[in-house]
Amino acid sequence: MAATMVSSAGGLLAMLNESHPSLKLHALSNLNSFVDQFWPEISTSVPIIESLYEDEEFDQHQRQLAALLVSKVFYYLGELNDSLSYALGAGSLFDVSDDSDYVHTLLAKAIDEYASIKSKAAELNDEAANVDPRLEAIVERMLDKCITDGKYQQAMGIAIECRRLDKLEEAITRSDNIHGTLSYCINVSHSFVNRREYRREVLRLLVKVYQKLPSPDYLSICQCLMFLDEPEGVVSILEKLLRSENKDDALLAFQVAFDLVENEHQAFLLNVRDHLPVPKSLPSESTESAPAQNESTAAAEDVQMTDGTPASNANVQGTDPKEVIYAERLNKIRGILSGETSIQLTLQFLYSHNKSDLLILKTIKQSVEMRNSVCHSATIYANAIMHAGTTVDTFLRENLDWLSRATNWAKFSATAGVGLPVVAVHTQKGGALYALGLIHANHGEGIKQFLRDSLRSTTVEVIQHGACLGLGLAALGTADEDIYDDIKNVLYTDNAVAGEAAGISMGLLMVGTASEKAGEMLAYAHETQHEKIIRGLALGIALTVYGREEEADTGTANNKAIRQLLHFAVSDVSDDVRRTAVLALGFVLYSEPEQTPRIVSLLSESYNPHVRYGAALAVGISCAGTGLSEAISLLEPLTSDVVDFVRQGALIAMAMVMVQINEANDSRVGTFRRQLEKIILDKHEDTMSKMGAILASGILDAGGRNMTIKLLSKTKHDKITAVVGLAVFSQFCIQNQLLCPPATSAVKLPTAVLSTSAKAKARAKKEAEQKEKVNNEKTDAVGKGKSSSEKEGDSMQVDTPQEKKAEPEPSFELLTNPARVVPAQEKFIRFLEDSRYVPVKSAPSGFVLLRDLRPNEPEVLSLTDAPSSTQSPAGGSTTGQGSASAMAVDEEPQPPAPFEYTS
C-alpha cells in the first residue's frame, strides 16, 4: 500500500468540529504525527484543541492527546511556559525517552522550573514546597531513565540541582564505580552548589554512603567531615586507624592528618587534637622522636612514620606492646595536627632549594635613594617576600647600616618583615611582636601566651599595635574568648593607632565564625570618631563572616554577589567604595579565575583611576599563580597607565599572576622582568610606580622561587591564611605595615612535593604533553626537562649531556626528592610501577606517605640541607641567631688571586 502524501492539515482540523468522538480522536492522532510540518496551520485552531483538552466529558486518553498537541504547537511558537503547562497535562503521553528537540527542550525547562521552586522553598524554609505533582512526576521519570540507562553523572547533576537527595543516593549506590562516583559528586557539590547549608546536606549524605562501603575512603570522609565541622567524626576514624595492627592503617591515619593540615583550618585541627586521648604510657625513645620536637631530616621523618617500634618496647616492662605502639602513633599524629611536622619539612625544603638572586636586591638597593622611605621599606618587603621561609638573611646582615636608617613606622614594618625580635625601640618592639605573629601565623599555640603578656604589660600604642596584629595572626580563627577580651580592652582605649590593629585582630581571631561579637564591633565603629579605628573594624567585621557564603560570598562565584559589587563599582559616589567593590570581585571569583578578566575588562578601561586600580588587583587576586593569558593581556596596558597608583597596582597584580611562570610558558614574563628593572633604575620614575615594581620583583621570586599564591587547596578548601593574607595585603594602599601578611600567609604555599619518591616537570606544549602520556616512563616521576628558565639546573639530573645539542630534548627527567614542581606540571608526575615505595594515596604532590613494599631490604637515605635552627622558642624567631649556614647559601665566590698577564 503506497504512503499517503499530505499537503495540508485543513481536513484533519475540520474533523475536530465533528460531533463523533472517534473522528476527533482520529484527527488528534494524525495531527500529532504531522505537527512538525504543519504547526503554523494548526496554530490557528489552538482554541478548539484547548477546548477538547478542557472537556471533562472527553475520554482521558483523548484529552491527554489534545494537551500534547497544544504543547507541541506552543513549543514551535516559542511559548515554552505554555508548552510545559500542556505537556504536564499530557501525562504519560509525554515520553521522556523520546530523542527529539521538543522533548529535550521541555525536559530542561521542567527541570529548571522544578529546581527553581525547590530552591525558593529552601530559601524561605518552606518544607512543604507547593510543587505540581505532574511536574515532579516528569522529573522523577527523567531521573529514573538516567539511572536505568547508566548515565549516573547526569542523574546526580539533576538530583543535586533539584534537591532530590533520595535520587542522588540511588544514583550513587547503583553506579558501577561507587568511589569514582562519590569523588565526582564531591567536586560537583563544591563547584555548583551555591548555598552553604544545602552543600552541607549533600556532604552528610556522601559521608553516610562512604561509611556503608566495605572499604571506606577515609581520606575523602575526613575531608567531608572537615567541611561539616565535625571533629568528633574525624577523631573516631583516626583512633580506629591508629589502633589497627596493620601498619598501612597507621600510615593512612598520618596521611589523613597531613591532608587536614594542608587546609589550614587551625581551630578544627586543634579540636581534633584535643579530642584525641592523651597517651597513657610513652617510652622515652618515642618521646624524643615526637614530630613536634624532631630535629631529623625530612627523609628520616618519613622513615619514622613507616617504621614499627619493636625496639622501644623493651624499654617499658610490663606494658602492653600494642598500647606502646598506639601511644607512639598518637604522639606523632598530634605533632602533625599541630602543624609542627609539616612546618619543619617545608622549612627544610625552602632552605635547601633556595634559588633567590641577591643581585636583584642589590640592584634595587643601589637604585633607591636613601631619603625615600617608601622605596626603602618596599625593598625590605621585597626581601621578606623573596626569602620567606628560607631563613636566609644574608642581604640584611650585609646591609645592617642601611637597614637601620628606617624611621618611625618604616622601622616597625622593617622589623616585622625581617622577623628579628629587636626590643630596643618601641617601633622595633611592636614590629618584633608582629613578626612573631607572622612566623606563627595559624599555628600559634606556643606563642599566644607570650603575646598576650606583652599586650597586657604595655600602654605604648605602637607596641599594642604590633601585639594585637601578632596575636590575631597566631590565634587565627580560634575564637578564643580570653584573647578577644584582651584585644577589646585595647580597642576601648580609643587610641587610633592601637585601635585600628585591635579591629583587624578581632576579625582575624573570629575569622569565619560569624560570631555575634561582630555586633559589638559594629556598635563601637558607630561610636568612635577615629577613621583609622572605623577602617580596622570594617575589615575585622568582614573577616568574621569569611566563608559563610549566604552571609558573605568569598570564593563562591555567586552571581548575586557579583551583581551587587558591579552595581557599587559603577554607581557609588565614593572612589574608595568603587575601588573596593571592584577589588572584591577578585575574592568572589577566585574559584573560577577564567571568568575574572571577562567580567572586569570594561572596568579596566574606566575613566576613574580608582576603578582601574581595583580591576587590576581583582585580576591579580583571582588569577594569582595561574599565568592566565587573558589576565596578562588585560594587565599589560595598565602597567603603563597615566596614573601612578594604577601602574603600581597593575605591576603587583602582574607579578601575582606570573609567579612560578617562566618564558617557556609565556614570553611576556621576560618582558615584564625587564620592565620592572627599567622602572626601578629610572631615577625620574615616580615613587608609587617604583614601589610597585620593587614589590613585584619580590613576589616573582617568592620563597626562593619555590612558592606560589594559591587560594584553594587540592580538596577545594579555601586556604584561610592565603585568603585572609591577601585581604589584609589589599589594604596596603592605606597603611604600609599591612604589606607583611602575604609574605608568610598568601604566598607561603610551596609548590614542592616533599614526601613522594621523586618529582616531575611537565612539557608546556601540547605536542609534548601527548608524549608524557606514553606508558614507557621508567622513572619515579617524569616531566619536562628544562621547562623552567629559573635556576634549577643544580637540583636536577638531566639525562641528555649538554654537548649533544643535536639530540631531541628528552621527554622525561629524574628529579631528586624533594623537588620543585609548579602547579601546571603536577598532572604529569608518574610513579614507577615496580618501585619499592608506593604512595598511600594517588596524589602527585604535597605531603605523601609512602608504603615500603620491601621492608627487609636495606634503605638508602639521602639527606637534605637544613637550617642551623629549625625550632623557635616562645619568644624567638626562626630567622634569628646562628644562620651562618644560611648565609652560605647565597655567598658569592671569591675573586681570583692577583696575577700578571704576559703575552
Side-chain angles (χ1 to χ4, degrees):
M1 181 177 176
T4 305
M5 296 297 294
V6 179
S7 59
S8 171
L12 293 171
L13 291 172
M15 293 176 68
L16 294 175
N17 295 315
E18 296 291 335
S19 58
H20 201 285
S22 58
L23 293 176
K24 295 178 181 179
L25 177 61
H26 174 78
L28 289 172
S29 300
N30 283 279
L31 286 171
N32 259 309
S33 304
F34 300 134
V35 67
D36 296 343
Q37 303 170 36
F38 301 118
W39 64 266
E41 194 175 352
I42 299 173
S43 65
T44 59
S45 301
V46 163
I48 299 173
I49 305 172
E50 285 179 325
S51 64
L52 294 176
Y53 165 64
E54 294 166 0
D55 187 356
E56 295 183 0
E57 296 180 1
F58 216 36
D59 181 70
Q60 179 68 22
H61 174 72
Q62 294 172 330
R63 292 178 62 193
Q64 290 180 347
L65 200 58
L68 182 63
L69 177 59
V70 175
S71 173
K72 289 182 179 180
V73 173
F74 276 128
Y75 162 74
Y76 286 113
L77 290 171
E79 300 290 340
L80 294 184
N81 289 326
D82 291 334
S83 179
L84 176 61
S85 176
Y86 281 101
L88 296 179
S92 58
L93 293 184
F94 180 74
D95 186 5
V96 296
S97 61
D98 187 16
D99 188 19
S100 66
D101 289 343
Y102 161 71
V103 171
H104 291 166
T105 304
L106 283 200
L107 280 176
K109 178 70 176 174
I111 291 169
D112 288 345
E113 189 73 19
Y114 184 79
S116 175
I117 294 171
K118 297 286 278 188
S119 296
K120 287 177 182 176
E123 289 176 11
L124 298 172
N125 292 320
D126 183 7
E127 294 292 333
N130 187 19
V131 181
D132 189 330
R134 299 174 301 172
L135 179 63
E136 193 163 37
I138 285 182
V139 173
E140 287 186 355
R141 275 156 48 199
M142 183 62 194
L143 285 166
D144 292 337
K145 178 181 180 297
C146 290
I147 294 171
T148 304
D149 294 348
K151 298 177 181 177
Y152 301 110
Q153 292 187 355
Q154 190 175 349
M156 286 189 293
I158 296 172
I160 289 175
E161 191 176 0
C162 295
R163 294 175 177 264
R164 290 298 300 269
L165 298 184
D166 55 333
K167 291 294 182 182
L168 176 63
E169 184 175 4
E170 182 182 349
I172 294 171
T173 52
R174 289 181 58 178
S175 65
D176 302 326
N177 179 8
I178 294 182
H179 283 287
T181 305
L182 284 166
S183 298
Y184 171 80
C185 199
I186 289 174
N187 289 331
V188 168
S189 67
H190 290 315
S191 303
F192 301 107
V193 179
N194 290 326
R195 293 189 64 81
R196 182 168 175 265
E197 284 304 316
Y198 179 48
R199 187 187 304 120
R200 290 167 68 88
E201 291 179 29
V202 174
L203 292 176
R204 282 194 190 93
L205 172 67
L206 298 183
V207 170
K208 185 176 78 171
V209 176
Y210 266 124
Q211 291 172 337
K212 290 180 181 178
L213 298 178
S215 56
D217 182 355
Y218 290 119
L219 293 166
S220 298
I221 291 175
C222 289
Q223 290 295 332
C224 291
L225 291 173
M226 192 171 196
F227 274 109
L228 295 170
D229 196 22
E230 297 179 4
E232 297 83 1
V234 175
V235 169
S236 64
I237 289 173
L238 291 178
E239 278 199 80
K240 176 183 176 182
L241 294 173
L242 291 175
R243 286 194 176 277
S244 172
E245 295 183 8
N246 188 342
K247 289 183 181 179
D248 290 350
D249 287 342
L251 281 180
L252 186 59
F254 295 140
Q255 185 66 68
V256 167
F258 273 120
D259 286 358
L260 293 178
V261 168
E262 186 194 358
N263 296 323
E264 300 182 354
H265 193 334
Q266 181 180 199
F268 182 86
L269 295 172
L270 292 178
N271 270 335
V272 172
R273 192 193 68 181
D274 294 342
H275 279 81
L276 285 171
V278 177
K280 294 179 181 178
S281 61
L282 195 62
S284 59
E285 275 190 60
S286 72
T287 303
E288 293 169 4
S289 64
Q293 302 170 357
N294 187 11
E295 297 287 343
S296 63
T297 62
E301 184 68 37
D302 283 344
V303 173
Q304 288 187 8
M305 292 294 177
T306 57
D307 277 350
T309 54
S312 63
N313 294 349
N315 295 333
V316 182
Q317 298 295 331
T319 304
D320 186 354
K322 292 182 181 178
E323 286 299 317
V324 173
I325 293 174
Y326 173 67
E328 290 184 350
R329 291 173 175 176
L330 204 55
N331 197 47
K332 288 178 180 178
I333 206 162
R334 290 172 73 90
I336 295 171
L337 291 170
S338 69
E340 295 296 332
T341 305
S342 55
I343 290 167
Q344 281 180 21
L345 295 173
T346 304
L347 183 65
Q348 290 167 4
F349 170 80
L350 292 174
Y351 173 83
S352 60
H353 289 72
N354 175 34
K355 300 294 178 185
S356 60
D357 189 352
L358 280 181
L359 187 60
I360 295 174
L361 287 173
K362 289 178 182 177
T363 304
I364 294 172
K365 171 182 166 288
Q366 290 167 3
S367 64
V368 169
E369 295 181 13
M370 284 309 305
R371 61 172 178 258
N372 191 331
S373 63
V374 173
C375 291
H376 183 278
S377 298
T379 307
I380 296 170
Y381 299 140
N383 170 70
I385 295 172
M386 195 178 289
H387 291 104
T390 64
T391 74
V392 175
D393 56 359
T394 310
F395 174 76
L396 301 169
R397 290 181 176 275
E398 290 178 352
N399 299 282
L400 285 175
D401 181 57
W402 172 84
L403 182 66
S404 66
R405 298 182 192 179
T407 58
N408 301 326
W409 280 112
K411 189 167 290 187
F412 176 98
S413 301
T415 311
V418 175
L420 296 174
V422 183
V423 294
V425 185
H426 291 326
T427 50
Q428 290 175 322
K429 185 172 182 179
L433 294 173
Y434 185 22
L436 280 176
L438 291 169
I439 292 167
H440 294 274
N442 205 38
H443 57 275
E445 279 293 286
I447 204 70
K448 285 193 298 188
Q449 192 57 45
F450 174 79
L451 290 169
R452 285 183 67 188
D453 294 342
S454 301
L455 180 62
R456 282 188 233 151
S457 62
T458 184
T459 56
V460 180
E461 60 181 17
V462 179
I463 299 177
Q464 288 179 330
H465 185 96
C468 283
L469 289 176
L471 200 50
L473 287 168
L476 189 69
T478 58
D480 189 307
E481 293 285 344
D482 295 332
I483 295 176
Y484 178 83
D485 289 337
D486 288 342
I487 298 171
K488 185 169 70 172
N489 292 334
V490 174
L491 176 69
Y492 285 170
T493 61
D494 206 40
N495 181 289
V497 173
E500 180 181 28
I504 296 172
S505 183
M506 286 176 169
L508 293 171
L509 183 66
M510 297 292 177
V511 65
T513 62
S515 170
E516 295 178 358
K517 305 290 185 186
E520 295 179 17
M521 297 163 68
L522 182 61
Y524 192 79
H526 286 298
E527 292 174 9
T528 185
Q529 301 299 312
H530 294 290
E531 186 182 344
K532 276 179 168 288
I533 296 178
I534 294 171
R535 191 187 305 126
L537 285 170
L539 179 57
I541 292 168
L543 291 175
T544 61
V545 291
Y546 155 83
R548 305 298 290 191
E549 299 191 20
E550 289 91 65
E551 301 153 74
D553 298 285
T554 307
T556 62
N558 186 291
N559 288 330
K560 183 180 176 183
I562 293 170
R563 282 196 299 271
Q564 287 178 333
L565 290 172
L566 288 173
H567 171 72
F568 285 122
V570 299
S571 64
D572 201 273
V573 295
S574 168
D575 286 337
D576 287 342
V577 172
R578 297 179 72 172
R579 180 189 68 241
T580 307
V582 181
L583 189 150
L585 285 170
F587 288 104
V588 174
L589 290 166
Y590 69 70
S591 61
E592 298 180 21
E594 298 82 6
Q595 286 192 28
T596 312
R598 176 178 57 82
I599 289 175
V600 304
S601 59
L602 290 176
L603 296 173
S604 68
E605 300 170 5
S606 170
Y607 72 92
N608 189 320
H610 294 272
V611 173
R612 298 201 298 274
Y613 173 89
L617 275 188
V619 171
I621 289 167
S622 66
C623 303
T626 62
L628 202 63
S629 178
E630 294 86 351
I632 296 173
S633 299
L634 185 144
L635 290 171
E636 268 186 320
L638 293 177
T639 59
S640 55
D641 196 274
V642 294
V643 181
D644 54 359
F645 67 83
V646 176
R647 293 199 296 275
Q648 181 196 67
L651 291 171
I652 293 172
M654 184 77 89
M656 292 164 70
V657 174
M658 286 185 172
V659 65
Q660 294 297 335
I661 304 297
N662 53 62
E663 289 188 78
N665 302 112
D666 196 312
S667 60
R668 292 172 288 186
V669 175
T671 306
F672 180 62
R673 283 186 179 271
R674 289 188 290 273
Q675 181 183 4
L676 293 179
E677 186 178 7
K678 179 183 176 184
I679 293 172
I680 292 168
L681 294 176
D682 186 354
K683 294 187 182 297
H684 302 291
E685 187 67 58
D686 58 86
T687 301
M688 296 281 277
S689 298
K690 191 167 284 193
M691 176 188 174
I694 294 170
L695 290 172
S697 298
I699 293 171
L700 281 175
D701 295 341
R705 296 182 175 173
N706 288 302
M707 291 185 180
T708 186
I709 303 174
K710 199 171 183 182
L711 304 184
L712 282 176
S713 69
K714 296 183 184 70
T715 52
K716 305 298 183 182
H717 279 272
D718 298 322
K719 294 185 82 72
I720 189 168
T721 54
V723 177
V724 171
L726 277 181
V728 178
F729 173 78
S730 65
Q731 306 300 310
F732 75 86
C733 59
I734 299 169
Q735 189 173 3
N736 278 352
Q737 62 263 34
L738 297 181
L739 273 166
C740 288
T744 56
S745 298
V747 185
K748 194 168 184 180
L749 303 170
T751 58
V753 188
L754 299 177
S755 299
T756 51
S757 296
K759 306 297 163 288
K761 296 222 162 259
R763 302 193 69 87
K765 298 179 182 178
K766 291 183 179 179
E767 62 271 16
E769 288 176 359
Q770 298 302 319
K771 294 181 182 178
E772 290 294 328
K773 297 176 183 177
V774 179
N775 295 324
N776 62 352
E777 285 89 0
K778 296 298 180 182
T779 59
D780 282 338
V782 300
K784 176 178 181 281
K786 299 180 184 178
S787 67
S788 175
S789 63
E790 284 130 357
K791 301 188 294 184
E792 301 167 337
D794 293 341
S795 63
M796 302 184 194
Q797 301 171 6
V798 184
D799 293 343
T800 306
Q802 292 182 354
E803 61 271 13
K804 297 182 179 179
K805 295 180 180 178
E807 291 190 10
E809 186 179 26
S811 61
F812 66 88
E813 186 171 33
L814 176 63
L815 301 179
T816 304
N817 179 60
R820 171 182 174 277
V821 179
V822 299
Q825 298 164 341
E826 284 185 296
K827 58 186 176 182
F828 298 103
I829 296 174
R830 299 289 183 272
F831 293 95
L832 254 182
E833 292 183 4
D834 58 348
S835 173
R836 171 177 175 173
Y837 299 99
V838 295
V840 171
K841 68 167 187 175
S842 57
S845 67
F847 294 98
V848 181
L849 274 292
L850 301 174
R851 191 165 60 245
D852 190 352
L853 300 182
R854 298 191 284 273
N856 297 325
E857 296 182 9
E859 291 183 308
V860 179
L861 303 178
S862 61
L863 302 181
T864 58
D865 295 331
S868 56
S869 175
T870 58
Q871 294 285 342
S872 60
S877 163
T878 57
T879 59
Q881 307 298 322
S883 54
S885 61
M887 291 173 64
V889 173
D890 290 301
E891 282 182 359
E892 295 184 3
Q894 296 297 319
F899 62 93
E900 291 185 5
Y901 175 74
T902 58
S903 59

